[in-house]
Amino acid sequence: MTTTTETLTESLIIGGARVGASDGGTFDVFDPSSGSLLATVAKATKEDVKRAVASARTALESKAWAGITPAERGRMLQRIAQGIRDRAEELATLESRDNGKPLRQSRTDVQVAARYFEFFAGIADKIMGHTIPIGPGYLDYTLREPIGVSAQIIPWNYPIQIGARGVAPALAAGCAVVLKPAEDAPMTALRLGEIALASGVPPGVFNVVPGMGPEAGAALASDPDINQLTFTGSIEVGILVAKMAAENIVPVVMELGGKSPNVVFADADLDLTVAGVSNAIFQNAGQTCSAGSRLLVERKAHGAVVDRLVARAKAMRVGPGVSDPDMGPIISKRQLETVEGYVKIGKGEGAEILTGGMRPSDPSLGSGFYFEPTLLDRVAPDMRVSREEIFGPVLAITTFEDVEEAAELANRSQYGLVAGVWTRDVNKALALASRIKVGQVYVNTYGAGGGVELPFGGYKKSGYGREKGLEALASYTQVKNVCVKFA
Ligand code: NAI
Ligand code: MG
């Protein structure tokens, strides 16, 4: 555990150089565990973002990047993975101070970030096209070329993981990137930029421009010289940036969160199930796009499952991320108030608070943005706490009678990101897996340790496009067909 309290000073990374904002502006970043100042960070202006995009454009076409072999690109990504691992403890501590998450979660996030670079390093020299047989006298083949300059706007909940998730496949494909981290937690995204430079990635190939959403984020999404946009965040902002990109015919990958169900049948291994269900909602204090925020439990198992869940939630230690508790704080006062507001709404709608529902009483936590692990029972599917993403440690519990009703309830959502199914009956598991409209289904597990290799993305309003796994490359490449007629 580190006790360091020095305030950090951070620059933008543009064209391989660490620079201040063009107008000298900065913003403050706070440690949500204590509300104290963690860092002062250069605040990118519209001009800075323009410059970053221009530098990515130049780098994209440079000899140093476009002129090297895919194998060499892969080796650079391997070095980034190693660079992340070499600094793992420093990065994990920084992530915990910036975001508030428990140290062991940050350590996992850092290893997952390294895995993204390692995984995509291995594919850099295997991005192949086809030959297409159209008849005698023709040779037809396809090439998968880099799509160009990739703009990436990421949130504060998993900065190093989500940063790596988008940057690694983009670089593997030969793209250049401009990354805008979230104003609430920009620190480890900047470290990724530094590590890439130290790993021999040419200047300008990977730029990092921390700043405000409506300024730097909007400037990036609307820049006419980007070729692709990857966005993770709220539906509201997702719609805004997709419209900006549409003005320039720029394709978007959208990851907009969810209200993911964990469906628990009475025949499930209840100890395994309750550990999985609990972790799916309380990991990262519920601030996870794929959080299992709805528990759908077969009525006859309700009592047994709920008793175990309550016991677990009550035993959880809440505290500062760097002290490695079971659950850290919420990212900000604003987000904490949103979570509190939802619990109030749920109560008003008739939900019953089984445990939690407020800020912890421990006075030593008074200056941080903490909220207790919260279980809401008797949640009807039409309640707002069942329909809307809370993004906090609040689980909404609803019962069902049979497979039919479980599937119907699971699908009664505007979202469709992830679902968990817990049962020993393969028939129930596969019936649900085929009927639930989500991008990922897990059976008797949830999340699979980062799931670097597994395609990830939304149905419905959870978004479109796929990240992670080999599927991710589709977003960072474009297909050129070459048709040759010969005599
Ligand atoms: P947000 O959607 O405002 O922020 C995400 C990113 O978009 C940040 O980098 C932000 O700077 C940027 N951004 C904000 N306004 C922008 C604009 N006008 N143009 C371009 N970029 C812009 O998310 P916020 O406000 O931090 O959280 C609000 C809610 O969004 C949460 O309560 C949660 O429900 C959801 N959310 C979902 C996430 C996910 O993983 N899918 C991550 C973060 C938030
Ligand atoms: Mg916002």
Side-chain angles (χ1 to χ4, degrees):
M1 178 185 152
T2 179
T3 50
T4 174
T5 50
E6 99 253 38
T7 302
L8 303 162
T9 308
E10 301 293 330
S11 312
L12 316 173
I13 302 177
I14 300 178
R18 280 167 232 198
V19 294
S22 58
D23 64 357
T26 61
F27 64 101
D28 291 336
V29 176
F30 299 95
D31 178 344
S33 299
S34 61
S36 62
L37 187 66
L38 171 63
T40 301
V41 179
K43 181 166 72 173
T45 61
K46 282 185 188 149
E47 292 68 47
D48 293 323
V49 171
K50 256 218 147 357
R51 231 153 42 75
V53 172
S55 101
R57 172 67 52 200
T58 304
L60 178 76
E61 288 153 13
S62 68
K63 236 180 133 209
W65 189 236
I68 65 173
T69 63
E72 181 52 30
R73 243 175 20 235
R75 284 192 285 271
M76 280 181 196
L77 268 73
Q78 285 287 8
R79 290 198 292 272
I80 299 176
Q82 190 55 47
I84 292 170
R85 292 207 168 102
D86 289 346
R87 293 174 65 175
E89 203 51 25
E90 171 211 338
L91 291 168
T93 304
L94 186 61
E95 193 79 317
S96 281
R97 292 178 71 199
D98 197 12
N99 164 282
K101 66 181 70 191
L103 207 44
R104 84 194 93 121
Q105 174 68 51
S106 293
R107 289 183 178 129
T108 301
D109 289 4
V110 168
Q111 292 305 323
V112 171
R115 267 295 291 152
Y116 277 116
F117 284 98
E118 195 175 61
F119 179 84
F120 287 106
I123 200 68
D125 58 353
K126 301 168 195 71
I127 303 176
M128 298 177 192
H130 297 291
T131 59
I132 301 173
I134 55 170
Y138 285 96
L139 170 64
D140 192 285
Y141 62 93
T142 62
L143 299 167
R144 291 176 69 190
E145 299 183 337
I147 198 162
V149 173
S150 169
Q152 308 204 353
I153 299 176
I154 63 167
W156 42 262
N157 53 344
Y158 290 82
I160 197 163
Q161 262 208 52
I162 296 180
R165 172 173 103 186
V167 172
L171 296 188
C175 295
V177 177
V178 179
L179 171 65
K180 197 212 76 72
E183 43 273 60
D184 283 315
M187 302 297 289
T188 53
L190 286 162
R191 295 292 180 271
L192 277 185
E194 292 169 15
I195 290 168
L197 279 172
S199 304
V201 172
V205 168
F206 178 18
N207 307 275
V208 190
V209 286
M212 301 299 112
E215 294 163 25
L220 184 56
S222 61
D223 195 297
D225 207 26
I226 62 169
N227 302 108
Q228 187 274 343
L229 175 67
T230 295
F231 174 83
T232 305
S234 60
I235 288 185
E236 183 194 8
V237 176
I239 292 170
L240 281 177
V241 298
K243 283 181 176 165
M244 294 179 203
E247 291 289 337
N248 296 310
I249 325 290
V250 165
V252 184
V253 175
M254 281 273 163
E255 203 267 84
L256 306 177
K259 192 79 187 178
S260 296
N262 259 313
V263 182
V264 175
F265 288 94
D267 67 8
D269 173 335
L270 288 194
D271 290 330
L272 175 87
T273 299
V274 165
V277 166
S278 178
N279 188 54
I281 183 61
F282 297 132
Q283 174 178 317
N284 213 33
Q287 305 165 114
T288 304
C289 41
S290 55
S293 52
R294 286 189 294 151
L295 168 62
L296 306 177
V297 57
E298 190 171 353
R299 186 179 305 280
K300 60 187 179 210
H302 173 267
V305 168
V306 156
D307 287 350
R308 284 171 164 83
L309 276 173
V310 169
R312 273 189 91 92
K314 285 203 157 121
M316 284 177 77
R317 256 178 338 110
V318 177
V322 291
S323 75
D324 203 24
D326 298 315
M327 200 175 86
I330 304 291
I331 187 72
S332 62
K333 185 160 179 285
R334 185 176 67 112
Q335 188 68 22
L336 172 61
E337 286 165 359
T338 302
V339 175
E340 268 182 326
Y342 269 112
V343 170
K344 221 171 137 192
I345 290 167
K347 241 167 114 176
E349 288 174 316
E352 179 190 341
I353 300 173
L354 296 176
T355 184
M358 32 188 202
R359 303 183 190 198
S361 53
D362 180 351
S364 76
L365 301 180
S367 57
F369 311 129
Y370 298 93
F371 200 73
E372 290 180 341
T374 299
L375 300 172
L376 295 183
D377 201 8
R378 298 177 192 280
V379 173
D382 58 336
M383 291 183 186
R384 282 184 63 191
V385 289
S386 176
R387 291 186 286 117
E388 297 175 18
E389 185 176 50
I390 297 175
F391 231 58
V394 181
L395 180 65
I397 304 171
T398 305
T399 56
F400 66 84
E401 295 293 344
D402 53 19
V403 169
E404 195 60 35
E405 195 185 11
E408 194 275 321
L409 287 173
N411 283 329
R412 211 190 292 179
S413 176
Q414 64 172 335
Y415 291 106
L417 194 54
V418 172
V421 183
W422 304 82
T423 177
R424 286 188 168 103
D425 181 343
V426 70
N427 296 306
K428 284 178 189 157
L430 293 180
L432 266 288
S434 84
R435 289 184 55 184
I436 302 182
K437 292 177 171 42
V438 294
Q440 284 192 334
V441 178
Y442 289 97
V443 178
N444 295 330
T445 184
Y446 198 91
V452 169
E453 307 84 353
L454 315 179
F456 174 74
Y459 278 42
K460 302 193 261 184
K461 287 192 179 160
S462 288
Y464 50 80
R466 290 294 176 268
E467 301 189 84
K468 306 187 176 186
L470 294 183
E471 298 281 336
L473 289 171
S475 304
Y476 300 105
T477 54
Q478 55 194 341
V479 174
K480 177 184 283 176
N481 188 84
V482 179
C483 184
V484 183
K485 183 154 173 47
F486 58 93

